Amino acid sequence: MIWIIVALLLLLLRGASVYTWPEAGSLLFGILFIVAIVGTRSTRHALRVFLAGWLLAFCATAAVAAREILFGIPFGNYYRQEAANPILEGLGSASTFSNPNNYAFFLLVSFPVLTLGRSAATQKTWKLLYLGAMASVPVLMLATGSRIGLLILIAVGAVFAVAFVRAKWAAVAAGGVALAALLFPVAFDFAVQSLLRPFAFGDGFQLQAFIYGIFEESSMMVRMSLIQNGYGFWLDSYLMGVGMGGFEAAMAGGSGDHPTMGIESPHSGVMEILSQFGILVFAPFALLLITLLLIGWKTFSTRQTHSSMRVGGLLLVTLTSAFPIFTVMNSSFLEPSSSWLFLALLLLVGLAIDETADGVATGELHSSARIVL
């Protein structure tokens, strides 16, 4: 229970701000949910239920996104007042999860989750549902306009394709992406062509200019500045952290040394945890992720294991290794409930693998997860 204890101690020592309570509520309910997952008797059964629930949640959110994409209905979102934002000028999904980056995070995690669900499903109907949902992920990702999410999705999809997919299905998947580009040309232009156009010759677009532009691009520069500020907050707190919501409070108070164009949110899950909860939480949390990574690799690399277990192993490998990269998409990693579902998913897959291997859902992973949380 290190995380809860440290959070409470920092709350007593450093006090609270208006940024504390939204994160405190998410932190409390998220940890309680994960503890319930860790304490379940049959993690394999819990994982099957969890995967089915994720599929239903995916379909429900996809319906909201599809309505906005097809009919241009602007639901509530923080872009609503920014009429000049490209995502509102044509096809796009800005309001699902109230933020396209939050939705892109959910979609990115959903792809390996849906892949695992399909491999574990025993009925043809469920397999088809999972497959249809998987096919829609690239389309919906294009509509969010998230460049980081799109690039990591391509990388994760390529890893799973090389590991599991036969050549004919890889061709079908490639055709699906091409079809998505044709069906949603505006979203495709915004999300993909903006990445490819700098490589074209003529009109001043050169590779050198593109590389230079990566470092000059405002959102990337802001994220780098936020990470540097978070590192400074961590050092100034004697490595103990500035407490729940402390990152945003420090930024609002003008404590950041690096300019961020008025952005106050951490935009990095790693730095958010490190700067706010210090080394006492970050070190065991990182150790837990590394443990899950090793469990995943051991399971995936063992060819004799069941195919669904190997899919689960690769899920752990890809999502834990990419954690520092794709958590820079969200403004905050700890506040959205989808982040805690993601952490619960990682633990549940790891525990289910342990249970399958040992026959009983006990072991070091249970103990370490309880200690951290």
Side-chain angles (χ1 to χ4, degrees), residues 12-337:
L12 291 174
L13 295 174
R14 305 193 183 281
S17 68
V18 294
Y19 302 97
T20 299
W21 306 118
E23 185 172 306
S26 178
L27 181 73
L28 176 62
F29 288 107
I31 288 180
L32 289 177
F33 177 72
I34 295 177
V35 168
I37 290 291
V38 173
T40 187
R41 289 188 176 184
S42 176
T43 51
R44 282 181 294 175
H45 176 71
L47 180 58
R48 286 194 294 268
V49 174
F50 193 94
L51 292 173
W54 195 290
L55 175 61
L56 295 176
F58 179 88
C59 293
T61 54
V64 176
R67 184 182 179 187
E68 184 178 12
I69 292 169
L70 296 173
F71 300 104
I73 299 175
F75 296 106
N77 64 80
Y78 82 113
Y79 280 155
R80 193 163 188 168
Q81 302 303 321
E82 302 179 25
N85 193 285
I87 206 168
L88 294 182
E89 293 177 358
L91 300 174
S93 176
S95 46
T96 309
F97 286 42
S98 79
N99 185 321
N101 287 322
N102 289 347
Y103 189 41
F105 172 89
F106 174 75
L107 291 171
L108 176 61
V109 175
S110 292
F111 183 80
V113 173
L114 296 169
T115 305
L116 176 58
R118 183 183 181 278
S119 67
T122 56
Q123 297 181 3
K124 186 176 181 179
T125 301
W126 280 99
K127 284 183 176 293
L128 290 174
L129 287 173
Y130 279 113
L131 184 61
M134 289 168 58
S136 70
V137 171
V139 180
L140 297 171
M141 182 66 80
L142 285 170
T144 67
S146 173
R147 291 167 293 179
I148 297 175
L150 180 63
L151 290 173
I152 300 178
L153 177 63
I154 292 173
V156 171
V159 169
F160 272 81
V162 170
F164 296 109
V165 180
R166 298 176 181 176
K168 64 177 182 179
W169 290 112
V172 171
V177 174
L179 180 61
L182 294 174
L183 291 176
F184 299 96
V186 178
F188 178 74
D189 178 75
F190 174 67
V192 179
Q193 291 188 19
S194 61
L195 293 174
L196 301 180
R197 192 179 295 113
F199 291 98
F201 292 99
D203 297 329
F205 290 108
Q206 304 293 336
L207 180 60
Q208 182 179 357
F210 174 72
I211 295 175
Y212 178 77
I214 291 176
F215 298 97
E216 291 298 316
E217 203 269 336
S218 60
S219 64
M220 183 63 70
M221 290 186 64
V222 166
R223 281 172 166 81
M224 294 302 298
S225 295
L226 288 166
I227 291 174
Q228 290 176 296
N229 287 338
Y231 182 70
F233 299 156
W234 179 58
L235 294 180
D236 292 341
S237 67
Y238 302 99
L239 313 187
M240 294 296 104
V242 293
M244 291 181 290
F247 188 104
E248 291 174 296
M251 288 296 300
S255 298
D257 295 330
H258 301 273
T260 60
M261 301 175 63
I263 305 298
E264 299 174 350
S265 303
H267 284 80
S268 168
V270 170
M271 191 52 65
E272 188 173 6
I273 296 172
L274 181 64
S275 64
Q276 295 192 157
F277 300 97
I279 196 68
L280 294 179
V281 169
F282 181 80
F285 178 78
L287 182 61
L288 183 59
L289 289 183
I290 293 172
T291 301
L292 289 167
L293 172 62
L294 295 176
I295 289 174
W297 177 252
K298 180 180 179 181
T299 304
F300 171 70
S301 60
T302 304
R303 299 286 179 177
Q304 290 76 19
T305 56
H306 190 272
S307 60
S308 62
M309 288 184 61
R310 294 190 67 233
V311 173
L314 188 57
L315 179 150
L316 291 178
V317 171
T318 54
L319 293 184
T320 54
S321 60
F323 179 85
I325 303 175
F326 67 74
T327 55
V328 304
M329 293 192 297
N330 301 47
S331 300
S332 169
F333 174 74
L334 297 178
E335 287 188 21
S337 58

